[in-house]
Amino acid sequence: MADSDGGVRIIARCGLVCSECPAYIATKAGDEQKIAETAAMWSKMYNHEVKPECVWCDGCALPGRKCGHCAECDVRACAEGKGMDNCGLCPELSGCATINNFFKLAPQAMKVIEEIAAGR
């Protein structure tokens, strides 16, 4: 799937768009300053200290580093365990409490997953 600038749009298992995430972008650029800025921004947003070393991320469904919560995410673990690239491909999507609880925190992810589910 292509993004708005013609690059590859990388979708996390939950429907967040990795290729638009500041952690992913900074990691791909190897930009330590942007990693530090993202850590500061997330610390303020989530009212919880996020250390720069917890920001480096190579993408949810790709091999490599996972930032903060993504490393231990229940949604990611479930999709991975079922061999699904993302929840939009799962036949149990509509009744899944795990992803539907996540959508309450990240409604933008729901739109992406719904688009994927509609296309399967």
Side-chain angles (χ1 to χ4, degrees):
M1 183 178 293
D3 65 13
S4 58
D5 69 359
V8 175
R9 188 173 186 217
I10 299 170
I11 307 297
R13 300 196 192 272
C14 64
L16 291 176
V17 182
C18 295
S19 52
E20 295 173 3
C21 175
Y24 178 84
I25 294 167
T27 299
K28 291 299 150 203
D31 191 332
E32 291 185 24
Q33 179 62 36
K34 290 290 183 192
I35 290 290
E37 290 171 7
T38 300
M41 176 182 69
W42 287 354
S43 293
K44 187 174 182 178
M45 278 175 66
Y46 300 117
N47 198 28
H48 176 76
E49 183 183 7
V50 176
K51 297 181 185 221
E53 58 267 23
C54 294
V55 173
W56 295 95
C57 190
D58 293 304
C60 169
L62 301 171
R65 300 163 286 187
K66 308 292 175 250
C67 67
H69 179 71
C70 295
E72 57 194 48
C73 176
D74 291 343
V75 173
R76 184 175 158 273
C78 179
E80 203 168 80
K82 291 180 177 182
M84 304 279 172
D85 286 339
N86 60 63
C87 295
L89 302 172
C90 183
E92 300 170 32
L93 174 64
S94 64
C96 179
T98 303
I99 192 65
N100 285 303
N101 285 332
F102 176 76
F103 289 155
K104 292 174 189 172
L105 302 171
Q108 71 277 22
M110 182 171 67
K111 181 179 181 210
V112 174
I113 291 296
E114 287 175 343
E115 288 171 3
I116 292 167
R120 67 176 147 107

PDB file of all heavy atoms in Angstrom, residues 1 18 24 39 59 94 96 107 116-117:
ATOM      1  N   MET A   1       0.847  -1.170   0.000  1.00  0.00           N
ATOM      2  CA  MET A   1       0.000   0.000   0.000  1.00  0.00           C
ATOM      3  C   MET A   1       0.896   1.237   0.000  1.00  0.00           C
ATOM      4  O   MET A   1       1.840   1.327   0.780  1.00  0.00           O
ATOM      5  CB  MET A   1      -0.873  -0.051   1.268  1.00  0.00           C
ATOM      6  CG  MET A   1      -1.851   1.053   1.375  1.00  0.00           C
ATOM      7  SD  MET A   1      -2.909   0.924   2.868  1.00  0.00           S
ATOM      8  CE  MET A   1      -3.862  -0.528   2.515  1.00  0.00           C
ATOM      9  N   CYS A  18       2.900   2.753  10.799  1.00  0.00           N
ATOM     10  CA  CYS A  18       4.301   2.852  11.231  1.00  0.00           C
ATOM     11  C   CYS A  18       5.052   3.899  10.415  1.00  0.00           C
ATOM     12  O   CYS A  18       5.838   4.674  10.960  1.00  0.00           O
ATOM     13  CB  CYS A  18       5.008   1.511  11.091  1.00  0.00           C
ATOM     14  SG  CYS A  18       4.386   0.212  12.158  1.00  0.00           S
ATOM     15  N   TYR A  24       9.438   5.572  14.093  1.00  0.00           N
ATOM     16  CA  TYR A  24       9.854   4.806  12.911  1.00  0.00           C
ATOM     17  C   TYR A  24      10.664   5.693  11.959  1.00  0.00           C
ATOM     18  O   TYR A  24      11.721   5.299  11.474  1.00  0.00           O
ATOM     19  CB  TYR A  24       8.620   4.245  12.203  1.00  0.00           C
ATOM     20  CG  TYR A  24       8.955   3.487  10.944  1.00  0.00           C
ATOM     21  CD1 TYR A  24       9.339   2.149  11.001  1.00  0.00           C
ATOM     22  CD2 TYR A  24       8.888   4.103   9.700  1.00  0.00           C
ATOM     23  CE1 TYR A  24       9.663   1.449   9.844  1.00  0.00           C
ATOM     24  CE2 TYR A  24       9.212   3.415   8.546  1.00  0.00           C
ATOM     25  CZ  TYR A  24       9.592   2.093   8.617  1.00  0.00           C
ATOM     26  OH  TYR A  24       9.914   1.406   7.477  1.00  0.00           O
ATOM     27  N   ALA A  39      10.906  11.159  22.272  1.00  0.00           N
ATOM     28  CA  ALA A  39      10.825  10.710  23.668  1.00  0.00           C
ATOM     29  C   ALA A  39      10.253  11.820  24.541  1.00  0.00           C
ATOM     30  O   ALA A  39       9.369  11.577  25.384  1.00  0.00           O
ATOM     31  CB  ALA A  39      12.195  10.276  24.170  1.00  0.00           C
ATOM     32  N   GLY A  59       9.425  -0.922  13.147  1.00  0.00           N
ATOM     33  CA  GLY A  59       8.085  -1.237  12.655  1.00  0.00           C
ATOM     34  C   GLY A  59       7.504  -2.456  13.333  1.00  0.00           C
ATOM     35  O   GLY A  59       8.205  -3.422  13.607  1.00  0.00           O
ATOM     36  N   SER A  94     -14.530  -8.611  14.313  1.00  0.00           N
ATOM     37  CA  SER A  94     -15.704  -7.915  14.856  1.00  0.00           C
ATOM     38  C   SER A  94     -15.968  -8.230  16.325  1.00  0.00           C
ATOM     39  O   SER A  94     -16.445  -7.373  17.060  1.00  0.00           O
ATOM     40  CB  SER A  94     -16.946  -8.197  14.017  1.00  0.00           C
ATOM     41  OG  SER A  94     -17.260  -9.570  14.077  1.00  0.00           O
ATOM     42  N   CYS A  96     -13.595  -9.153  18.588  1.00  0.00           N
ATOM     43  CA  CYS A  96     -12.338  -9.176  19.344  1.00  0.00           C
ATOM     44  C   CYS A  96     -12.271  -8.033  20.360  1.00  0.00           C
ATOM     45  O   CYS A  96     -12.187  -6.861  19.993  1.00  0.00           O
ATOM     46  CB  CYS A  96     -11.155  -9.087  18.388  1.00  0.00           C
ATOM     47  SG  CYS A  96      -9.567  -9.077  19.251  1.00  0.00           S
ATOM     48  N   PRO A 107      -8.519   5.626  17.784  1.00  0.00           N
ATOM     49  CA  PRO A 107      -9.581   5.462  16.782  1.00  0.00           C
ATOM     50  C   PRO A 107      -9.092   5.577  15.342  1.00  0.00           C
ATOM     51  O   PRO A 107      -9.696   5.005  14.444  1.00  0.00           O
ATOM     52  CB  PRO A 107     -10.585   6.566  17.130  1.00  0.00           C
ATOM     53  CG  PRO A 107      -9.860   7.514  18.020  1.00  0.00           C
ATOM     54  CD  PRO A 107      -8.747   6.762  18.663  1.00  0.00           C
ATOM     55  N   ILE A 116      -8.829  -2.345   5.525  1.00  0.00           N
ATOM     56  CA  ILE A 116      -8.182  -3.612   5.187  1.00  0.00           C
ATOM     57  C   ILE A 116      -9.212  -4.733   5.207  1.00  0.00           C
ATOM     58  O   ILE A 116      -9.267  -5.562   4.300  1.00  0.00           O
ATOM     59  CB  ILE A 116      -7.020  -3.896   6.154  1.00  0.00           C
ATOM     60  CG1 ILE A 116      -5.895  -2.873   5.907  1.00  0.00           C
ATOM     61  CG2 ILE A 116      -6.507  -5.335   5.980  1.00  0.00           C
ATOM     62  CD1 ILE A 116      -4.838  -2.857   6.982  1.00  0.00           C
ATOM     63  N   ALA A 117     -10.059  -4.757   6.240  1.00  0.00           N
ATOM     64  CA  ALA A 117     -11.085  -5.814   6.367  1.00  0.00           C
ATOM     65  C   ALA A 117     -12.057  -5.766   5.197  1.00  0.00           C
ATOM     66  O   ALA A 117     -12.480  -6.811   4.694  1.00  0.00           O
ATOM     67  CB  ALA A 117     -11.819  -5.666   7.699  1.00  0.00           C
TER      68      ALA A 117
END
